[in-house]
Amino acid sequence: GDPYAIPPDNPFTGGGGLPEIWAYGLRNPWRFSFDRLTGDLYTGDVGQGTWEELDFVPVGMPGGMNFGWNYYESMHPYQDQPPASATFTWPVAEYIHSEDFSVTGGTVYRGAALPEWQGVYFYGDYCSGKIWGLIQTSQDHWQSKFFFPTGAKISTFGVDETGEIYLADYQSGTMLRLTRR
C-alpha cells in the first residue's frame, strides 16, 4: 500500500526473485549502517554455530549479491552443495566462536573528538561485550583489531549529530559513548 514502493532499479524488478529483494544469503544481519562520508554499507551477520561475519558493500553496487547462507557460514561450508553457477559475495572479516558468539554490527567513526579513529568501522559482540575496529587497508584486504572490553551486552550502535559513537547495553538498559581510555 501507499507509500510502499519498490525502487525501479532493484536487481529483481525484472524477475528472478521478489522485486523487494536487494541482496540475499544473509542469515541474521544484526545491524547494518551506511558510512555517512562514503555511502558504503556495512553489516554484521550473526552465524549459526561457529562463525560470525562482517560484510561490506561499496556505494554504487547495483545489488543482487548472494552472501552465501545457508551453503556457507561466513566463508566455511555449512550444508548442501551450492549450484555451480552460484556467485558469492564473501565477508571482509570473520571470527570464530571461542569466547565471542554473536556479532553486533556497528558504524564507521566520523566524529571530531578522536581523529585517529577516522574511517574505522566499530563493531562488537553481544555475548562478550568486546569492541573491534575494522579498516580497509587495500582494495581486497581488511584488518580487524580488538580495541577494548565493555562488559556490556551490546545490542546496537548509534551516532550523534557530531559523529560520535554510542552503544546500547541490553542488560542494563544504559547507553555508553566510545572514548579513548
Side-chain angles (χ1 to χ4, degrees):
D2 191 29
Y4 180 83
I6 298 167
D9 61 347
N10 259 17
F12 301 110
T13 55
L18 294 174
E20 295 91 345
I21 295 173
W22 186 76
Y24 60 104
L26 294 160
R27 182 186 171 272
N28 183 12
W30 192 255
R31 305 301 184 249
F32 68 90
S33 66
F34 293 95
D35 180 337
R36 63 198 261 174
L37 179 66
T38 66
D40 297 332
L41 173 66
Y42 292 81
T43 306
D45 193 15
V46 178
Q48 175 67 33
T50 308
W51 294 94
E52 304 296 301
E53 73 180 65
L54 287 302
D55 298 302
F56 172 78
V57 179
V59 69
M61 288 292 289
M65 292 85 54
N66 179 351
F67 290 93
W69 177 257
N70 65 352
Y71 296 116
Y72 293 92
E73 183 181 24
S74 189
M75 293 182 271
H76 308 274
Y78 181 71
Q79 71 180 33
D80 299 330
Q81 186 68 26
S85 62
T87 302
F88 299 107
T89 299
W90 300 110
V92 296
E94 66 178 2
Y95 63 90
I96 193 167
H97 293 178
S98 54
E99 54 191 60
D100 311 306
F101 299 97
S102 183
V103 68
T104 300
T107 191
V108 175
Y109 182 76
R110 295 295 179 194
L114 303 160
E116 67 275 17
W117 289 3
Q118 277 298 313
V120 175
Y121 172 74
F122 285 93
Y123 66 97
D125 187 86
Y126 174 82
C127 297
S128 70
K130 292 179 183 174
I131 300 283
W132 290 273
L134 179 67
I135 192 158
Q136 189 171 14
T137 57
S138 67
Q139 185 171 348
D140 295 321
H141 191 293
W142 293 77
Q143 182 179 32
S144 187
K145 177 185 174 190
F146 172 70
F147 267 69
F148 44 82
T150 65
K153 296 288 185 193
I154 305 168
S155 60
T156 195
F157 287 80
V159 178
D160 69 16
E161 66 276 358
T162 65
E164 300 307 316
I165 298 177
Y166 294 78
L167 63 92
D169 180 351
Y170 182 79
Q171 187 170 345
S172 69
T174 59
M175 289 182 50
L176 307 168
R177 185 168 54 96
L178 269 64
T179 63
R180 192 178 10 213
R181 287 184 175 200

